[in-house]
């Protein structure tokens, strides 16, 4: 169908609460990425899933961040005990195995931690 | 020092101008060089990518990489108001863990 979708589009939460961000990649895409985009910081790589391989979690900033991908499709990024510095746009992208250079991005989830 | 540096702008030009957007990178192992365009409140979209040094042209867009100076450029000819967006450069040793610049905001006025 359409492109990468993410939900919610906006999320306001209180410091200390947990949040879950969802990503629906393009059907058939084997690779899925999560990024964080903060003002003045550019895109920051968080985690990468490729097929059934173990994910590359090297970009996760702390153990409060985790992500999973169920059935090789939908992915959820969870932030526990949110802090104000977690406020950012969280972007998901997917790419097909035969064209890994092209990452298709979703519109992002704007997270604001009060 | 960030591995990929990019002037945040904004860069304002009149319609029809040639635009030059630039980045520098510090990791000599980087072989992949990408340019993304991001409209407000949207995700980035890939414009072009090059492998190693050289030029690549696609319509009004030309990407250029100079590995000797670690300099990445994107040229836009005959710029249009619809080109107004933030342009992100990215580099890496592979596609999986790209390092992005902060983005340059471009404004093309009619």
């Amino acid at each position: 169908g359409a492109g990468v979708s993410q939900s919610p589009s906006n999320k306001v939460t209180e410091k200390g609460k947990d949040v879950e961000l969802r990503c629906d990649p393009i059907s058939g895409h084997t690779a899925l990425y999560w990024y964080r985009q903060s003002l003045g910081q550019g895109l920051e790589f968080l985690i990468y899933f490729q097929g059934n391989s173990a994910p590359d979690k090297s970009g996760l900033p702390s153990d409060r961040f985790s992500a999973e991908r169920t059935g090789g499709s939908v992915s959820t990024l969870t932030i526990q005990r949110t802090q104000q510095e977690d406020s950012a746009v969280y972007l998901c992208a997917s790419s097909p195995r035969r064209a890994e250079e092209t990452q298709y991005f979703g519109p992002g989830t704007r997270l604001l931690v009060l | 020092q960030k591995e990929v540096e990019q002037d945040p702008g904004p860069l304002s030009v009149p319609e029809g101008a040639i635009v030059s957007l630039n980045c520098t990178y510090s990791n000599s192992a980087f072989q992949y060089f990408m340019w993304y365009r991001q409209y407000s409140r949207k995700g980035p979209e890939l414009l072009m990518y090059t492998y190693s040094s050289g030029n690549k042209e696609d319509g009004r867009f030309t990407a250029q990489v100079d590995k000797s100076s670690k300099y990445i450029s994107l040229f836009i000819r005959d710029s249009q108001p619809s080109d107004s967006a933030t342009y992100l450069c990215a580099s890496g040793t592979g596609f999986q863990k790209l390092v992005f610049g902060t983005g340059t905001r471009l404004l093309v006025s009619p």
Side-chain angles (χ1 to χ4, degrees):
Chain A
V4 177
S5 61
Q6 293 186 245
S7 60
S9 53
N10 294 281
K11 177 71 176 179
V12 180
T13 190
E14 294 179 350
K15 178 181 171 181
K17 301 278 190 184
D18 297 351
V19 295
E20 284 190 354
L21 312 180
R22 176 186 169 108
C23 172
D24 282 88
I26 294 173
S27 177
H29 280 194
T30 56
L32 187 146
Y33 305 77
W34 282 99
Y35 294 91
R36 179 168 68 176
Q37 189 172 33
S38 306
L39 196 62
Q41 296 297 317
L43 263 69
E44 175 189 9
F45 166 81
L46 296 177
I47 189 168
Y48 161 65
F49 297 88
Q50 174 57 270
N52 294 321
S53 303
D56 179 344
K57 305 179 182 180
S58 59
L60 295 178
S62 77
D63 59 8
R64 296 187 295 106
F65 289 72
S66 64
E68 62 178 22
R69 189 179 185 191
T70 53
S73 180
V74 172
S75 178
T76 302
L77 177 70
T78 301
I79 309 173
Q80 295 178 310
R81 305 181 302 282
T82 53
Q83 303 295 311
Q84 288 182 330
E85 60 263 29
D86 298 334
S87 297
V89 178
Y90 289 82
L91 289 157
C92 174
S94 69
S95 63
R97 182 179 292 278
R98 293 185 179 275
E100 290 189 40
E101 71 278 6
T102 305
Q103 294 184 30
Y104 295 85
F105 282 82
T109 293
R110 283 157 186 78
L111 176 65
L112 177 61
V113 182
L114 301 176
Chain B
Q1 181 191 5
K2 293 181 179 178
E3 284 191 291
V4 177
E5 299 271 8
Q6 189 173 10
D7 189 322
L11 176 62
S12 295
V13 301
E15 182 176 356
I18 296 175
V19 175
S20 173
L21 301 165
N22 307 293
C23 291
T24 58
Y25 66 97
S26 58
N27 191 332
S28 57
F30 286 170
Q31 295 279 15
Y32 293 88
F33 305 95
M34 333 283 282
W35 282 98
Y36 287 81
R37 178 175 61 195
Q38 186 174 23
Y39 291 112
S40 180
R41 306 189 76 81
K42 301 284 187 183
E45 56 178 327
L46 180 66
L47 278 176
M48 304 177 68
Y49 84 96
T50 54
Y51 175 76
S52 193
S53 283
N55 292 0
K56 189 171 186 177
E57 189 173 322
D58 184 1
R60 296 185 295 112
F61 298 86
T62 299
Q64 195 172 77
V65 177
D66 182 346
K67 294 194 77 180
S68 62
S69 59
K70 298 189 178 66
Y71 206 76
I72 314 164
S73 300
L74 178 71
F75 300 96
I76 307 174
R77 291 182 296 281
D78 187 25
S79 56
Q80 303 295 310
S82 58
D83 295 328
S84 298
T86 296
Y87 289 80
L88 303 162
C89 63
S91 300
T93 55
F95 300 121
Q96 291 80 7
K97 286 177 69 174
L98 296 171
V99 179
F100 284 79
T102 54
T104 298
R105 188 171 167 219
L106 172 66
L107 302 171
V108 182
S109 54

